[in-house]
Amino acid sequence: MFTNMMKKRNPALVKAAAALHQNGSIPPNTYVIDLDSFCHNVQSLSRCAKEHDLQLYYMTKQIGRSGYIGQVIEKNGISKAVAVDIDEAFNLKKAGCQIGNVGHLVQPGNKQWKEVLTKICPEVITLFSLERAEQLSVAALSLGKSQNVILRVISEHDVLYPGQHGGFPLNTINAAVTELLKLPGINVIGLTSFPVLQLNKGQTGFDFTMNLETLKKAREFMEDQGVRVTHINAPGSTSCFTIPFLKEHGITHGEPGHAMTGTTPLHAYSSSLQETPCLVYVSEISHMDDYAAYTIAGGFYARSNMEKAFYGNTPQRLLKQETSVQPPSYENIDYYGSLEKNDGMNVGDSVIYAFRSQIFVTRSHVAFIQRTNSHSPEVVHFQRRGM
């Protein structure tokens, strides 16, 4: 998906990743992140958000959700994380990172609320239902606390991805808020939905989904009931490009994830965006037959939109050699990837892919590197996938 743009905007990363693979510094099945460009991207996002008075929570699931990268992000200007689930929250908190939002996308379990309140200490918690709100309120009261919460709200016209359904139906929000206001352990301050933005058909920008209208209507309903709505979180492709549009529509919070690696959908088509693409996936040719070359896998993702890959046994040759990717079957385990076989391919060649990642659902390692433009790029942190 990003091979053309990576070749245009960050060829040094492609060459550095290949060199580090060829000299044995990183193994196949490793995502490689150009840390210098990554820090630049985070700083750009932080500045843009401050200019438009928008608050950001950073998302790390797509880059391996490590405490190491959380600390890097916080040092470069985005101070709090959104955790996709409680395990990510624990992992980040253990490393000293600050948690802004937990519960969206995955709700904590019934017996985990006290741990959330005492060990994670989030700024806000996203709630999907009255039942979870009641559980949280009980836990908060037992600790002498009152927790700020935001509600995920949905309507029948919203965009919802499979496996992510849930929330307070818009047509019941008045009744729900009436009950929520009776719970002394929580303080309702806002709303959220996902995704609020999607790439437009012309691949030139983003369009708002119907989810934005749902948020606006829910806000009106809540304010009519006396709720002071101070937090409206609208994640989905949050970037320097979209932040001004979010602010125009009254959004207060965003959650950059792929923008930090320059891999939102728009980054595949526009070379003028502030964030630089800075993530690739490294493999090598394991074996070949008459039809294809097979690469060591473990890091492929169903929505990655892979199209091409670079291959070769030297960084110089690799950028000049591309081949088509045969999409893997996601009904099976990705033990190997498959490339269209070309002359000049050799077992052991480096293969560099560039596609949208969700590293936390893979079996992949992550290497953070610096000085990609130098003759001696360096791995500064290696995150090995546990057994």
Side-chain angles (χ1 to χ4, degrees):
M1 182 178 183
F2 294 101
T3 49
N4 291 339
M5 200 59 67
M6 192 66 65
K7 187 174 182 178
K8 183 175 183 178
R9 298 193 64 192
N10 198 351
L13 172 57
V14 178
K15 292 191 287 186
L20 290 166
H21 171 250
Q22 285 293 317
N23 71 22
S25 296
I26 57 174
N29 186 31
T30 298
Y31 284 92
V32 179
I33 294 175
D34 168 8
L35 204 55
D36 298 315
S37 295
F38 183 88
C39 292
H40 161 78
N41 293 345
V42 175
Q43 292 166 11
S44 297
L45 286 160
S46 176
R47 284 194 301 270
C48 184
K50 289 176 182 176
E51 289 171 4
H52 293 88
D53 192 27
L54 196 86
Q55 301 298 311
L56 299 180
Y57 296 143
Y58 64 85
M59 174 70 82
T60 68
K61 65 184 176 67
Q62 73 285 346
I63 50 175
R65 64 187 199 180
S66 73
Y68 170 81
I69 200 59
Q71 290 178 327
V72 168
I73 295 167
E74 293 188 12
K75 289 176 182 177
N76 282 277
I78 305 178
S79 62
K80 296 179 181 178
V82 51
V84 69
D85 57 30
I86 192 171
D87 297 305
E88 181 176 4
F90 280 133
N91 195 38
L92 292 170
K93 193 70 175 181
K94 184 178 179 181
C97 301
Q98 301 301 306
I99 308 301
N101 182 13
V102 70
H104 190 206
L105 296 164
V106 182
Q107 298 274 274
N110 184 19
K111 304 302 181 182
Q112 294 179 310
W113 288 118
K114 286 188 177 181
E115 285 188 293
V116 170
L117 295 171
T118 59
K119 295 181 180 179
I120 296 174
C121 306
E123 185 172 52
V124 297
I125 292 174
T126 298
L127 294 174
F128 281 41
S129 66
L130 181 60
E131 292 83 358
R132 288 299 189 199
E134 291 169 342
Q135 294 167 7
L136 174 57
S137 179
V138 170
L141 283 177
S142 72
L143 297 168
K145 295 185 175 186
S146 180
Q147 174 65 48
N148 286 340
V149 302
I150 59 177
L151 312 180
R152 186 181 187 188
V153 60
I154 58 173
S155 76
E156 60 181 345
H157 303 296
D158 284 356
V159 175
L160 294 173
Y161 294 131
Q164 298 181 18
H165 287 251
F168 290 89
L170 180 64
N171 60 7
T172 67
I173 196 69
N174 284 329
V177 170
T178 297
E179 295 304 312
L180 290 167
L181 293 178
K182 297 176 184 178
L183 301 176
I186 65 170
N187 180 32
V188 181
I189 66 167
L191 299 156
T192 189
S193 181
F194 176 78
V196 175
L197 287 161
Q198 287 188 320
L199 186 69
N200 64 25
K201 292 182 178 180
Q203 300 171 336
T204 59
F206 290 96
D207 290 336
F208 284 104
T209 65
M210 287 299 297
N211 302 38
L212 176 65
E213 295 305 313
T214 297
L215 284 175
K216 289 181 176 181
K217 291 177 182 177
R219 178 178 187 167
E220 291 177 8
F221 293 156
M222 290 173 64
E223 289 180 339
D224 287 344
Q225 289 185 270
V227 176
R228 183 168 176 261
V229 178
T230 60
H231 188 127
I232 302 182
N233 191 2
S237 298
T238 306
S239 66
C240 293
F241 182 87
T242 62
I243 284 172
F245 303 119
L246 293 173
K247 187 62 179 181
E248 286 177 9
H249 287 271
I251 304 303
T252 65
H253 289 68
E255 297 180 355
H258 282 286
M260 295 188 294
T261 49
T263 54
T264 76
L266 188 58
H267 283 84
Y269 303 102
S270 174
S271 60
S272 63
L273 302 179
Q274 290 191 42
E275 303 91 359
T276 301
C278 62
L279 180 147
V280 296
Y281 177 65
V282 177
S283 184
E284 71 175 66
I285 296 177
S286 169
H287 54 281
M288 296 183 283
D289 57 24
D290 292 338
Y291 310 101
Y294 301 97
T295 63
I296 297 169
F300 296 145
Y301 165 63
R303 295 176 60 213
S304 59
N305 296 321
M306 291 181 291
E307 295 175 354
K308 297 180 180 180
F310 303 107
Y311 68 93
N313 55 20
T314 69
Q316 293 73 27
R317 290 185 60 192
L318 186 136
L319 269 175
K320 300 175 182 178
Q321 299 180 145
E322 292 183 19
T323 188
S324 297
V325 173
Q326 298 176 11
S329 168
Y330 294 106
E331 296 178 356
N332 301 294
I333 299 170
D334 61 332
Y335 293 113
Y336 294 101
S338 181
L339 304 176
E340 181 179 326
K341 188 177 178 181
N342 287 345
D343 292 337
M345 284 182 167
N346 299 287
V347 170
D349 278 357
S350 299
V351 179
I352 309 296
Y353 300 83
F355 53 78
R356 280 175 64 82
S357 66
Q358 292 291 347
I359 298 175
F360 82 117
V361 298
T362 72
R363 309 186 307 280
S364 300
H365 316 296
V366 189
F368 299 92
I369 69 173
Q370 288 183 320
R371 300 198 301 275
T372 57
N373 278 301
S374 73
H375 294 295
S376 55
E378 177 187 10
V379 178
V380 294
H381 181 77
F382 189 81
Q383 182 178 325
R384 184 173 294 279
R385 175 70 174 185
M387 299 299 290

